[in-house]
């Protein structure tokens, strides 16, 4: 079976949770949500999943179907306690990510007169200094990967270190429609980990608005197994929502 | 025991311009929208609003009632951004204090315990600190650790909407999440509780367990019966979010003419007029 780009990305998101154990997987976006559920159905059975509202669920439905088997109540107040406790891995989106690994969800432009007001700080600062954090970027482009973010909501390695807030920081990876990246460049800057099959290196460098660190060896992102493809196509996303989020074939 | 029931007009008449008001709920979930609509009908302005923002913030910001907004996010949930809020920000002139959500909760907890601040890990290294130059950090007396000293967010008045309350203000939520309504109530000098239904104390356990009683009358100063008082946000299990209407709100908000029409139809009227107009909105769309 030939995997699509969205399927490769979904499996890369699943791999974020390898060895995670009994923690809460929180995801924003279709592809990471498929990834977390795929992880629970394959290599990470002890993951906890919520409906993003107030309940943890024992079942693992398709991404556009409701959960049905409540496992425990999980009000927002409990979420903040859990974050402080650290037993969570979040995959957030970003309006911008920069070379230092800082993320922006808040606004584009000047603080008092933004050209584009976005969500606000949300809990990005809380997440990034307390537990495992990854990012999902559906369209890898210089608009997202910028030299300097306009507002730092999620804290990158250098700033966390400088502020003495790196004790519990655990930045993992950035999965995009083109590649997998992480924060292992010089001084914790963004580095390339792997290229998705069919993606050339210069495609990624052209789509990244700063000089991304390129290690000597850049492998291809692994292909999904037949079992993973079957689970994604038949069980987790039979109506193909992933292809709306990732347009490349 | 004292009967704290007031009409919506009487309750909101106690809010004065310049006050700091906390608004319960979360995003587009169980917001005290009827109380917000009543503020819009009155000449109450210059407010400091403290909220996990949704359409409450959008409506008040668009009407120019907010001097300063203290928030972690503003979202309509099923629609990521509230157009009225984003427009107000992009126009400029809306003073903001943007906190990370974890910091925001710590600020309410500090106020509810009458502390000046609470230490929190979140915020260090982020732009929340430089953007709020009054924020300080605090050194642990036990280790080298340094934390953000999140200042208390005390409120003059908290506005919350719950599923049921009795006439003394014992408040009950029947949905999945209490959000932070109890914290808002504890952080405030006074709390106005609106409820879908005001029931006898003895009936509070008819629909939910003892654990659905969110806060007691200690923290309530006024009780307003406001059926569909969270509309168009969700007030499960009494009703879900009115997605069609929320979409109409968001689409109208993007066009000045359409917004003027929205205001004429839904906001330039009393609460009964609003609810009737919402019913007509659905009838006209062919929904019964």
């Amino acid at each position: 079976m030939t995997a699509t780009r969205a399927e490769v990305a979904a499996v890369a998101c699943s791999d974020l949770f390898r060895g995670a154990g009994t923690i809460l997987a929180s995801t924003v976006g279709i592809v990471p949500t498929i990834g977390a559920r795929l992880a629970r159905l394959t290599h990470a059975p002890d993951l906890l999943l919520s409906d993003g509202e107030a309940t943890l669920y024992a079942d693992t439905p398709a991404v556009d179907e409701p959960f049905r088997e409540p496992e425990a109540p999980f009000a927002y107040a409990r979420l903040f306690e859990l974050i402080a406790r650290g037993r969570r891995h979040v995959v957030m989106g970003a309006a911008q990510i920069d070379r230092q690994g800082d993320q922006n969800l808040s606004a584009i432009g000047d603080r008092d007169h933004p050209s584009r007001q976005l969500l606000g700080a949300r809990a990005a600062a809380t997440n990034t200094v307390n537990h495992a954090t990854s990012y999902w970027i559906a369209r890898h482009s210089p608009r997202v990967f910028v030299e300097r973010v306009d507002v730092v909501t999620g804290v990158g390695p250098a700033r966390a270190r400088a502020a003495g807030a790196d004790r519990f920081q655990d930045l993992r990876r950035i999965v995009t429609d083109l590649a997998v990246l992480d924060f292992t460049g010089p001084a914790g800057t963004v580095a390339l980990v792997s290229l998705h099959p069919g993606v050339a290196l210069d495609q990624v460098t052209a789509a990244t608005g700063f000089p991304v660190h390129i290690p000597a060896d850049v492998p291809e992102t692994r292909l999904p197994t037949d079992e993973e493809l079957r689970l994604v196509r038949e069980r987790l996303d039979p109506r193909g929502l992933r292809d709306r989020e990732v347009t490349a074939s | 025991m004292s009967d704290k029931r007031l009409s919506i007009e009487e309750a909101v008449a106690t809010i004065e311009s310049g006050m700091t008001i906390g608004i319960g709920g979360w995003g587009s979930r169980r917001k005290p929208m009827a109380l917000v609509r009543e503020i819009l009908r009155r000449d109450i302005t210059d407010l400091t609003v403290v909220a996990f923002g949704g359409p409450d913030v959008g409506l008040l910001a668009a009407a120019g009632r907010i001097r300063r907004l203290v928030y972690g996010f503003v979202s309509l949930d099923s629609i990521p951004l509230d157009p009225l809020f984003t427009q107000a920000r992009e126009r400029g002139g809306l003073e903001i204090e943007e906190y990370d959500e974890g910091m925001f909760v710590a600020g309410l907890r500090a106020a509810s315990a009458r502390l000046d601040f609470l230490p929190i890990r979140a915020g260090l290294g982020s732009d929340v600190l430089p953007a709020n130059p009054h924020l300080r950090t605090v050194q642990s007396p036990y280790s080298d650790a340094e934390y953000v000293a999140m200042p208390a967010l005390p409120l003059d008045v908290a506005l919350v909407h719950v599923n049921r309350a009795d006439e003394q203000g014992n408040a009950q939520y029947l949905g999945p999440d209490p959000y932070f309504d109890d914290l808002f109530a504890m952080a405030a000098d006074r709390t106005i509780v609106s409820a879908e239904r005001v029931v006898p104390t003895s009936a509070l356990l008819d629909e939910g367990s003892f654990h659905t009683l969110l806060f007691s009358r200690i923290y309530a100063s006024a009780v307003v019966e406001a059926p569909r008082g969270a509309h168009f946000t969700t007030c499960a299990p009494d009703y879900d979010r009115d997605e069609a209407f929320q979409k109409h709100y968001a689409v109208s908000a993007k066009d000045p003419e359409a917004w003027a029409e929205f205001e004429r139809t839904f906001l330039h009227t009393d609460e009964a007029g609003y609810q009737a107009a919402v019913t007509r909105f659905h009838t006209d769309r062919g929904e019964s």
Side-chain angles (χ1 to χ4, degrees):
Chain A
M1 284 190 277
T2 314
T4 64
R5 188 63 62 69
E7 288 162 349
V8 169
V11 167
C13 287
S14 166
D15 283 348
L16 297 172
F17 298 102
R18 280 205 184 268
T22 308
I23 63 158
L24 175 67
S26 297
T27 53
V28 179
I30 298 292
V31 166
T33 300
I34 295 171
R37 293 186 192 186
L38 183 61
R40 181 150 87 166
L41 292 177
T42 55
H43 56 80
D46 293 330
L47 277 185
L48 284 86
L49 298 177
S50 88
D51 58 352
E53 298 205 3
T55 312
L56 298 172
Y57 284 92
D59 60 328
T60 311
V63 285
D64 53 348
E65 280 172 15
F67 286 97
R68 297 192 191 284
E69 292 171 36
E71 180 176 6
F74 194 61
Y76 275 118
R78 292 282 172 274
L79 174 62
F80 289 112
E81 290 163 4
L82 182 83
I83 292 172
R85 187 67 186 79
R87 304 190 67 104
R88 181 171 182 250
H89 184 162
V90 68
V91 185
M92 286 189 282
Q96 298 176 319
I97 294 184
D98 65 24
R99 189 180 188 177
Q100 307 299 322
D102 296 327
Q103 168 242 32
N104 175 14
L105 285 174
S106 176
I108 306 291
D110 178 67
R111 176 181 178 273
D112 293 320
H113 208 135
S115 58
R116 201 152 60 90
Q117 172 66 43
L118 305 170
L119 286 170
R122 293 254 41 167
T126 299
N127 294 339
T128 47
V129 301
N130 276 302
H131 57 58
T133 299
S134 296
Y135 295 101
W136 160 242
I137 306 297
R139 191 160 299 177
H140 192 136
S141 81
R143 281 177 56 142
V144 176
F145 288 94
V146 297
E147 186 63 47
R148 203 75 207 89
V149 297
D150 293 343
V151 182
V152 178
T153 50
V155 182
R159 288 177 69 114
R161 243 188 340 269
D166 54 337
R167 185 176 170 204
F168 300 112
Q169 183 168 64
D170 186 7
L171 293 177
R172 299 286 181 89
R173 287 183 162 184
I174 308 167
V175 178
T176 79
D177 58 334
L178 299 181
V180 178
L181 307 103
D182 66 9
F183 305 89
T184 58
T189 52
V190 172
L192 191 57
V193 171
S194 65
L195 294 165
H196 296 341
V199 177
L201 179 60
D202 58 2
Q203 243 179 301
V204 170
T205 51
T208 308
F210 54 80
V212 59
H213 177 74
I214 299 162
D217 178 34
V218 180
E220 220 171 60
T221 311
R222 80 170 177 93
L223 287 168
T225 65
D226 286 352
E227 171 68 359
E228 284 172 325
L229 277 184
R230 190 189 64 74
L231 285 168
V232 170
R233 291 175 182 177
E234 294 171 23
R235 166 90 186 260
L236 292 173
D237 188 23
R239 284 159 291 278
L241 270 68
R242 62 193 179 282
D243 297 320
R244 281 188 236 164
E245 197 167 79
V246 174
T247 46
S249 59
Chain B
M1 276 184 292
S2 58
D3 181 350
K4 295 174 186 166
R5 283 176 299 172
L6 294 178
S7 70
I8 194 163
E9 294 84 1
E10 290 168 327
V12 174
T14 64
I15 301 174
E16 292 163 27
S17 293
M19 280 185 166
T20 296
I21 64 167
I23 305 179
W26 174 279
S28 188
R29 304 178 198 183
R30 202 156 44 71
K31 282 284 175 179
M33 296 299 285
L35 296 174
V36 169
R37 287 187 283 269
E38 184 60 23
I39 291 176
L40 292 173
R41 284 177 208 116
R42 289 173 174 272
D43 184 23
I44 302 169
T45 187
D46 201 30
L47 294 169
T48 292
V49 170
V50 179
F52 291 107
D56 50 334
V57 167
L59 285 164
L60 291 169
R65 307 304 182 85
I66 305 180
R67 183 176 61 78
R68 192 160 57 101
L69 175 66
V70 182
Y71 73 114
F73 66 87
V74 178
S75 172
L76 299 176
D77 291 311
S78 53
I79 301 170
L81 303 175
D82 180 292
L84 293 179
F85 167 66
T86 57
Q87 286 160 20
R89 283 281 287 143
E90 289 161 19
R91 271 198 307 273
L94 180 62
E95 198 186 314
I96 59 161
E97 246 176 74
E98 182 178 288
Y99 292 112
D100 172 275
E101 289 171 46
M103 297 172 71
F104 188 98
V105 173
L108 290 177
R109 287 199 195 288
S112 71
R114 299 184 298 173
L115 294 166
D116 291 344
F117 72 93
L118 276 176
I120 180 165
R121 197 151 39 234
L124 291 170
S126 79
D127 275 347
V128 171
L129 268 62
N132 296 287
H134 63 283
L135 284 177
R136 297 285 178 268
T137 57
V138 61
Q139 179 75 44
S140 166
Y142 305 109
S143 74
D144 291 338
E146 197 176 2
Y147 301 102
V148 174
M150 178 62 201
L153 295 172
L155 311 169
D156 293 316
V157 185
L159 312 178
V160 303
H161 184 79
V162 294
N163 300 92
R164 306 285 177 269
D166 65 13
E167 42 186 61
Q168 287 87 42
N170 292 303
Q172 180 179 43
Y173 77 109
L174 297 170
D177 199 318
Y179 310 118
F180 295 88
D181 288 359
D182 47 348
L183 262 189
F184 276 96
M186 290 189 280
D189 288 343
R190 295 191 290 122
T191 298
I192 301 174
V193 179
S194 64
E196 287 297 312
R197 282 203 284 127
V198 176
V199 300
T201 308
S202 59
L204 279 172
L205 298 184
D206 289 356
E207 294 175 87
S209 77
F210 192 70
H211 303 95
T212 61
L213 297 172
L214 182 54
F215 59 85
S216 82
R217 59 193 171 85
I218 289 174
Y219 297 111
S221 42
V223 177
V224 174
E225 185 165 72
R228 298 193 70 79
H231 182 273
F232 49 89
T233 69
T234 174
C235 191
D238 290 313
Y239 46 90
D240 289 328
R241 183 179 305 125
D242 187 342
E243 296 286 1
F245 189 88
Q246 173 162 291
K247 193 170 175 196
H248 181 60
Y249 160 84
V251 169
S252 302
K254 287 179 182 163
D255 173 66
E257 244 173 73
W259 183 247
E261 176 63 25
F262 185 98
E263 285 186 308
R264 269 195 301 279
T265 309
F266 297 106
L267 300 178
H268 296 166
T269 171
D270 62 9
E271 184 61 19
Y274 171 83
Q275 298 292 351
V278 169
T279 303
R280 275 197 305 280
F281 167 80
H282 287 291
T283 312
D284 291 350
R285 288 166 45 92
E287 304 160 18
S288 55

